[in-house]
Amino acid sequence: MKYILFADDTNIFSTEPSKMKIELSNIEDWCIANKLIINYDKTIQVIFRAPNKRLDFNDFSLNLNNIPLQIKPDTKFLGITLDASITFSKHIAELCRKLNLCLFMMRAIAPYLDQKALIDIYYTFFYPHLFYGLEHGWANFLDRNNNKFIY
């Protein structure tokens, strides 16, 4: 079981649904004891698996306050869209859309600006989208010994 906490978000990763059920119950009890409210509408589960692996989702049904958690095909995690197969295809499509908008903007204003201004615009609008999460984020999830994602 691994927790990743960021601001008001908590992500829990586990390979064992039975342990996850116990842990969710403990979290719910802790929240009640500390007068914290869980937003059940925003609490979801994503079941990460190989693209060709078929699963019976009933084996993974989790509840909070007797409310079944929604099983979603993807989620945003610190600004990066993770899909159940970890293909990053949805994230890449959204990234391409954002970069195309930046390029369109840069082409439209290029005739009116000098090269330094265009470089500043590139580093302000284009570059951050292109390199977000690469330097620190996903390198931490990669097991360097066998090139697999770890949690």
Side-chain angles (χ1 to χ4, degrees), residues 73-98:
D74 55 59
T75 187
K76 273 226 172 193
F77 180 70
L78 300 178
I80 295 177
T81 303
L82 291 176
D83 59 278
S85 300
I86 312 179
T87 64
F88 295 95
S89 57
K90 189 171 181 180
H91 180 74
I92 292 167
E94 180 62 19
L95 178 61
C96 289
R97 187 191 68 76
K98 288 177 184 177

PDB file of all heavy atoms in Angstrom, residues 73-98:
ATOM      1  N   PRO A  73     -11.992   5.044 -16.243  1.00  0.00           N
ATOM      2  CA  PRO A  73     -10.917   4.574 -17.128  1.00  0.00           C
ATOM      3  C   PRO A  73      -9.646   5.408 -17.031  1.00  0.00           C
ATOM      4  O   PRO A  73      -8.598   4.991 -17.504  1.00  0.00           O
ATOM      5  CB  PRO A  73     -11.526   4.684 -18.525  1.00  0.00           C
ATOM      6  CG  PRO A  73     -12.544   5.769 -18.393  1.00  0.00           C
ATOM      7  CD  PRO A  73     -13.072   5.683 -16.987  1.00  0.00           C
ATOM      8  N   ASP A  74      -9.744   6.603 -16.421  1.00  0.00           N
ATOM      9  CA  ASP A  74      -8.563   7.452 -16.301  1.00  0.00           C
ATOM     10  C   ASP A  74      -8.769   8.457 -15.174  1.00  0.00           C
ATOM     11  O   ASP A  74      -9.879   8.621 -14.669  1.00  0.00           O
ATOM     12  CB  ASP A  74      -8.258   8.176 -17.616  1.00  0.00           C
ATOM     13  CG  ASP A  74      -9.442   8.978 -18.120  1.00  0.00           C
ATOM     14  OD1 ASP A  74      -9.910   9.874 -17.389  1.00  0.00           O
ATOM     15  OD2 ASP A  74      -9.910   8.714 -19.238  1.00  0.00           O
ATOM     16  N   THR A  75      -7.681   9.118 -14.810  1.00  0.00           N
ATOM     17  CA  THR A  75      -7.727  10.142 -13.777  1.00  0.00           C
ATOM     18  C   THR A  75      -6.600  11.120 -14.004  1.00  0.00           C
ATOM     19  O   THR A  75      -5.586  10.782 -14.615  1.00  0.00           O
ATOM     20  CB  THR A  75      -7.629   9.524 -12.365  1.00  0.00           C
ATOM     21  OG1 THR A  75      -7.847  10.543 -11.395  1.00  0.00           O
ATOM     22  CG2 THR A  75      -6.286   8.867 -12.127  1.00  0.00           C
ATOM     23  N   LYS A  76      -6.779  12.334 -13.507  1.00  0.00           N
ATOM     24  CA  LYS A  76      -5.689  13.321 -13.531  1.00  0.00           C
ATOM     25  C   LYS A  76      -4.898  13.172 -12.246  1.00  0.00           C
ATOM     26  O   LYS A  76      -5.460  13.146 -11.154  1.00  0.00           O
ATOM     27  CB  LYS A  76      -6.253  14.732 -13.639  1.00  0.00           C
ATOM     28  CG  LYS A  76      -6.489  15.148 -15.045  1.00  0.00           C
ATOM     29  CD  LYS A  76      -5.944  16.535 -15.256  1.00  0.00           C
ATOM     30  CE  LYS A  76      -6.044  16.779 -16.739  1.00  0.00           C
ATOM     31  NZ  LYS A  76      -5.332  17.889 -17.192  1.00  0.00           N
ATOM     32  N   PHE A  77      -3.606  13.058 -12.384  1.00  0.00           N
ATOM     33  CA  PHE A  77      -2.711  12.925 -11.241  1.00  0.00           C
ATOM     34  C   PHE A  77      -1.627  13.978 -11.376  1.00  0.00           C
ATOM     35  O   PHE A  77      -0.771  13.884 -12.246  1.00  0.00           O
ATOM     36  CB  PHE A  77      -2.115  11.519 -11.211  1.00  0.00           C
ATOM     37  CG  PHE A  77      -1.167  11.275 -10.076  1.00  0.00           C
ATOM     38  CD1 PHE A  77      -1.635  11.193  -8.778  1.00  0.00           C
ATOM     39  CD2 PHE A  77       0.182  11.131 -10.308  1.00  0.00           C
ATOM     40  CE1 PHE A  77      -0.767  10.964  -7.726  1.00  0.00           C
ATOM     41  CE2 PHE A  77       1.056  10.902  -9.271  1.00  0.00           C
ATOM     42  CZ  PHE A  77       0.583  10.821  -7.972  1.00  0.00           C
ATOM     43  N   LEU A  78      -1.729  15.029 -10.558  1.00  0.00           N
ATOM     44  CA  LEU A  78      -0.795  16.150 -10.605  1.00  0.00           C
ATOM     45  C   LEU A  78      -0.644  16.707 -12.021  1.00  0.00           C
ATOM     46  O   LEU A  78       0.460  16.971 -12.495  1.00  0.00           O
ATOM     47  CB  LEU A  78       0.565  15.745 -10.030  1.00  0.00           C
ATOM     48  CG  LEU A  78       0.566  15.288  -8.574  1.00  0.00           C
ATOM     49  CD1 LEU A  78       1.961  14.874  -8.145  1.00  0.00           C
ATOM     50  CD2 LEU A  78       0.018  16.363  -7.651  1.00  0.00           C
ATOM     51  N   GLY A  79      -1.773  16.834 -12.708  1.00  0.00           N
ATOM     52  CA  GLY A  79      -1.773  17.452 -14.030  1.00  0.00           C
ATOM     53  C   GLY A  79      -1.491  16.509 -15.180  1.00  0.00           C
ATOM     54  O   GLY A  79      -1.496  16.929 -16.339  1.00  0.00           O
ATOM     55  N   ILE A  80      -1.260  15.249 -14.905  1.00  0.00           N
ATOM     56  CA  ILE A  80      -0.991  14.278 -15.969  1.00  0.00           C
ATOM     57  C   ILE A  80      -2.124  13.259 -15.962  1.00  0.00           C
ATOM     58  O   ILE A  80      -2.464  12.703 -14.925  1.00  0.00           O
ATOM     59  CB  ILE A  80       0.377  13.596 -15.767  1.00  0.00           C
ATOM     60  CG1 ILE A  80       1.478  14.649 -15.907  1.00  0.00           C
ATOM     61  CG2 ILE A  80       0.577  12.456 -16.753  1.00  0.00           C
ATOM     62  CD1 ILE A  80       2.870  14.169 -15.675  1.00  0.00           C
ATOM     63  N   THR A  81      -2.715  13.032 -17.125  1.00  0.00           N
ATOM     64  CA  THR A  81      -3.819  12.084 -17.231  1.00  0.00           C
ATOM     65  C   THR A  81      -3.264  10.667 -17.323  1.00  0.00           C
ATOM     66  O   THR A  81      -2.505  10.344 -18.226  1.00  0.00           O
ATOM     67  CB  THR A  81      -4.696  12.385 -18.457  1.00  0.00           C
ATOM     68  OG1 THR A  81      -5.161  13.731 -18.365  1.00  0.00           O
ATOM     69  CG2 THR A  81      -5.882  11.441 -18.531  1.00  0.00           C
ATOM     70  N   LEU A  82      -3.639   9.849 -16.346  1.00  0.00           N
ATOM     71  CA  LEU A  82      -3.250   8.439 -16.333  1.00  0.00           C
ATOM     72  C   LEU A  82      -4.447   7.602 -16.727  1.00  0.00           C
ATOM     73  O   LEU A  82      -5.504   7.715 -16.120  1.00  0.00           O
ATOM     74  CB  LEU A  82      -2.805   8.022 -14.925  1.00  0.00           C
ATOM     75  CG  LEU A  82      -1.521   8.592 -14.386  1.00  0.00           C
ATOM     76  CD1 LEU A  82      -1.308   8.137 -12.948  1.00  0.00           C
ATOM     77  CD2 LEU A  82      -0.349   8.162 -15.246  1.00  0.00           C
ATOM     78  N   ASP A  83      -4.276   6.769 -17.738  1.00  0.00           N
ATOM     79  CA  ASP A  83      -5.361   5.855 -18.112  1.00  0.00           C
ATOM     80  C   ASP A  83      -5.071   4.483 -17.529  1.00  0.00           C
ATOM     81  O   ASP A  83      -3.955   4.202 -17.096  1.00  0.00           O
ATOM     82  CB  ASP A  83      -5.511   5.786 -19.637  1.00  0.00           C
ATOM     83  CG  ASP A  83      -4.252   5.323 -20.326  1.00  0.00           C
ATOM     84  OD1 ASP A  83      -3.342   6.162 -20.536  1.00  0.00           O
ATOM     85  OD2 ASP A  83      -4.174   4.130 -20.646  1.00  0.00           O
ATOM     86  N   ALA A  84      -6.085   3.652 -17.482  1.00  0.00           N
ATOM     87  CA  ALA A  84      -5.992   2.344 -16.819  1.00  0.00           C
ATOM     88  C   ALA A  84      -4.875   1.472 -17.388  1.00  0.00           C
ATOM     89  O   ALA A  84      -4.312   0.650 -16.684  1.00  0.00           O
ATOM     90  CB  ALA A  84      -7.327   1.612 -16.893  1.00  0.00           C
ATOM     91  N   SER A  85      -4.528   1.657 -18.662  1.00  0.00           N
ATOM     92  CA  SER A  85      -3.470   0.855 -19.287  1.00  0.00           C
ATOM     93  C   SER A  85      -2.119   1.565 -19.276  1.00  0.00           C
ATOM     94  O   SER A  85      -1.147   1.051 -19.824  1.00  0.00           O
ATOM     95  CB  SER A  85      -3.848   0.512 -20.731  1.00  0.00           C
ATOM     96  OG  SER A  85      -5.037  -0.229 -20.746  1.00  0.00           O
ATOM     97  N   ILE A  86      -2.075   2.740 -18.691  1.00  0.00           N
ATOM     98  CA  ILE A  86      -0.868   3.573 -18.617  1.00  0.00           C
ATOM     99  C   ILE A  86      -0.228   3.744 -20.000  1.00  0.00           C
ATOM    100  O   ILE A  86       0.975   3.600 -20.182  1.00  0.00           O
ATOM    101  CB  ILE A  86       0.146   3.058 -17.577  1.00  0.00           C
ATOM    102  CG1 ILE A  86      -0.554   2.755 -16.258  1.00  0.00           C
ATOM    103  CG2 ILE A  86       1.246   4.088 -17.330  1.00  0.00           C
ATOM    104  CD1 ILE A  86       0.346   2.212 -15.174  1.00  0.00           C
ATOM    105  N   THR A  87      -1.070   4.076 -20.983  1.00  0.00           N
ATOM    106  CA  THR A  87      -0.567   4.343 -22.333  1.00  0.00           C
ATOM    107  C   THR A  87      -0.270   5.823 -22.528  1.00  0.00           C
ATOM    108  O   THR A  87       0.414   6.193 -23.471  1.00  0.00           O
ATOM    109  CB  THR A  87      -1.600   3.928 -23.396  1.00  0.00           C
ATOM    110  OG1 THR A  87      -2.763   4.747 -23.244  1.00  0.00           O
ATOM    111  CG2 THR A  87      -1.945   2.458 -23.301  1.00  0.00           C
ATOM    112  N   PHE A  88      -0.826   6.671 -21.669  1.00  0.00           N
ATOM    113  CA  PHE A  88      -0.695   8.125 -21.751  1.00  0.00           C
ATOM    114  C   PHE A  88      -1.346   8.695 -23.009  1.00  0.00           C
ATOM    115  O   PHE A  88      -1.134   9.857 -23.352  1.00  0.00           O
ATOM    116  CB  PHE A  88       0.770   8.579 -21.664  1.00  0.00           C
ATOM    117  CG  PHE A  88       1.413   8.284 -20.344  1.00  0.00           C
ATOM    118  CD1 PHE A  88       2.165   7.138 -20.165  1.00  0.00           C
ATOM    119  CD2 PHE A  88       1.249   9.149 -19.274  1.00  0.00           C
ATOM    120  CE1 PHE A  88       2.752   6.859 -18.946  1.00  0.00           C
ATOM    121  CE2 PHE A  88       1.840   8.879 -18.043  1.00  0.00           C
ATOM    122  CZ  PHE A  88       2.586   7.727 -17.885  1.00  0.00           C
ATOM    123  N   SER A  89      -2.156   7.907 -23.716  1.00  0.00           N
ATOM    124  CA  SER A  89      -2.737   8.366 -24.976  1.00  0.00           C
ATOM    125  C   SER A  89      -3.664   9.567 -24.788  1.00  0.00           C
ATOM    126  O   SER A  89      -3.615  10.521 -25.573  1.00  0.00           O
ATOM    127  CB  SER A  89      -3.462   7.231 -25.698  1.00  0.00           C
ATOM    128  OG  SER A  89      -4.456   6.685 -24.871  1.00  0.00           O
ATOM    129  N   LYS A  90      -4.487   9.567 -23.763  1.00  0.00           N
ATOM    130  CA  LYS A  90      -5.374  10.694 -23.518  1.00  0.00           C
ATOM    131  C   LYS A  90      -4.567  11.932 -23.123  1.00  0.00           C
ATOM    132  O   LYS A  90      -4.859  13.042 -23.556  1.00  0.00           O
ATOM    133  CB  LYS A  90      -6.399  10.346 -22.440  1.00  0.00           C
ATOM    134  CG  LYS A  90      -7.482  11.374 -22.280  1.00  0.00           C
ATOM    135  CD  LYS A  90      -8.586  10.885 -21.355  1.00  0.00           C
ATOM    136  CE  LYS A  90      -9.681  11.929 -21.229  1.00  0.00           C
ATOM    137  NZ  LYS A  90     -10.745  11.482 -20.334  1.00  0.00           N
ATOM    138  N   HIS A  91      -3.539  11.736 -22.312  1.00  0.00           N
ATOM    139  CA  HIS A  91      -2.685  12.852 -21.911  1.00  0.00           C
ATOM    140  C   HIS A  91      -1.966  13.441 -23.127  1.00  0.00           C
ATOM    141  O   HIS A  91      -1.892  14.668 -23.287  1.00  0.00           O
ATOM    142  CB  HIS A  91      -1.664  12.399 -20.868  1.00  0.00           C
ATOM    143  CG  HIS A  91      -0.762  13.500 -20.420  1.00  0.00           C
ATOM    144  ND1 HIS A  91      -1.184  14.502 -19.583  1.00  0.00           N
ATOM    145  CD2 HIS A  91       0.525  13.781 -20.737  1.00  0.00           C
ATOM    146  CE1 HIS A  91      -0.192  15.356 -19.387  1.00  0.00           C
ATOM    147  NE2 HIS A  91       0.850  14.929 -20.073  1.00  0.00           N
ATOM    148  N   ILE A  92      -1.447  12.588 -23.984  1.00  0.00           N
ATOM    149  CA  ILE A  92      -0.731  13.046 -25.178  1.00  0.00           C
ATOM    150  C   ILE A  92      -1.675  13.801 -26.113  1.00  0.00           C
ATOM    151  O   ILE A  92      -1.302  14.849 -26.659  1.00  0.00           O
ATOM    152  CB  ILE A  92      -0.046  11.861 -25.887  1.00  0.00           C
ATOM    153  CG1 ILE A  92       1.093  11.328 -25.005  1.00  0.00           C
ATOM    154  CG2 ILE A  92       0.457  12.255 -27.270  1.00  0.00           C
ATOM    155  CD1 ILE A  92       1.643   9.988 -25.422  1.00  0.00           C
ATOM    156  N   ALA A  93      -2.896  13.313 -26.276  1.00  0.00           N
ATOM    157  CA  ALA A  93      -3.868  14.004 -27.135  1.00  0.00           C
ATOM    158  C   ALA A  93      -4.172  15.405 -26.590  1.00  0.00           C
ATOM    159  O   ALA A  93      -4.229  16.382 -27.351  1.00  0.00           O
ATOM    160  CB  ALA A  93      -5.151  13.186 -27.246  1.00  0.00           C
ATOM    161  N   GLU A  94      -4.360  15.525 -25.285  1.00  0.00           N
ATOM    162  CA  GLU A  94      -4.622  16.832 -24.678  1.00  0.00           C
ATOM    163  C   GLU A  94      -3.404  17.736 -24.782  1.00  0.00           C
ATOM    164  O   GLU A  94      -3.520  18.931 -25.057  1.00  0.00           O
ATOM    165  CB  GLU A  94      -5.040  16.655 -23.213  1.00  0.00           C
ATOM    166  CG  GLU A  94      -5.337  17.928 -22.484  1.00  0.00           C
ATOM    167  CD  GLU A  94      -6.501  18.744 -23.046  1.00  0.00           C
ATOM    168  OE1 GLU A  94      -7.340  18.188 -23.784  1.00  0.00           O
ATOM    169  OE2 GLU A  94      -6.561  19.946 -22.748  1.00  0.00           O
ATOM    170  N   LEU A  95      -2.227  17.180 -24.603  1.00  0.00           N
ATOM    171  CA  LEU A  95      -0.995  17.943 -24.743  1.00  0.00           C
ATOM    172  C   LEU A  95      -0.843  18.468 -26.170  1.00  0.00           C
ATOM    173  O   LEU A  95      -0.513  19.643 -26.378  1.00  0.00           O
ATOM    174  CB  LEU A  95       0.208  17.079 -24.360  1.00  0.00           C
ATOM    175  CG  LEU A  95       1.583  17.710 -24.495  1.00  0.00           C
ATOM    176  CD1 LEU A  95       1.712  18.926 -23.595  1.00  0.00           C
ATOM    177  CD2 LEU A  95       2.662  16.681 -24.166  1.00  0.00           C
ATOM    178  N   CYS A  96      -1.105  17.626 -27.150  1.00  0.00           N
ATOM    179  CA  CYS A  96      -1.028  18.055 -28.558  1.00  0.00           C
ATOM    180  C   CYS A  96      -2.016  19.179 -28.842  1.00  0.00           C
ATOM    181  O   CYS A  96      -1.696  20.139 -29.565  1.00  0.00           O
ATOM    182  CB  CYS A  96      -1.272  16.878 -29.498  1.00  0.00           C
ATOM    183  SG  CYS A  96       0.097  15.697 -29.523  1.00  0.00           S
ATOM    184  N   ARG A  97      -3.213  19.086 -28.275  1.00  0.00           N
ATOM    185  CA  ARG A  97      -4.207  20.145 -28.469  1.00  0.00           C
ATOM    186  C   ARG A  97      -3.688  21.472 -27.910  1.00  0.00           C
ATOM    187  O   ARG A  97      -3.754  22.509 -28.562  1.00  0.00           O
ATOM    188  CB  ARG A  97      -5.525  19.760 -27.791  1.00  0.00           C
ATOM    189  CG  ARG A  97      -6.674  20.717 -28.066  1.00  0.00           C
ATOM    190  CD  ARG A  97      -7.879  20.455 -27.168  1.00  0.00           C
ATOM    191  NE  ARG A  97      -7.623  20.779 -25.774  1.00  0.00           N
ATOM    192  CZ  ARG A  97      -7.581  22.025 -25.272  1.00  0.00           C
ATOM    193  NH1 ARG A  97      -7.751  23.070 -26.045  1.00  0.00           N
ATOM    194  NH2 ARG A  97      -7.349  22.223 -23.983  1.00  0.00           N
ATOM    195  N   LYS A  98      -3.130  21.440 -26.706  1.00  0.00           N
ATOM    196  CA  LYS A  98      -2.602  22.661 -26.084  1.00  0.00           C
ATOM    197  C   LYS A  98      -1.435  23.234 -26.888  1.00  0.00           C
ATOM    198  O   LYS A  98      -1.346  24.444 -27.099  1.00  0.00           O
ATOM    199  CB  LYS A  98      -2.141  22.381 -24.643  1.00  0.00           C
ATOM    200  CG  LYS A  98      -3.261  22.149 -23.677  1.00  0.00           C
ATOM    201  CD  LYS A  98      -2.708  21.808 -22.300  1.00  0.00           C
ATOM    202  CE  LYS A  98      -3.808  21.471 -21.330  1.00  0.00           C
ATOM    203  NZ  LYS A  98      -3.261  21.070 -20.014  1.00  0.00           N
TER     204      LYS A  98
END
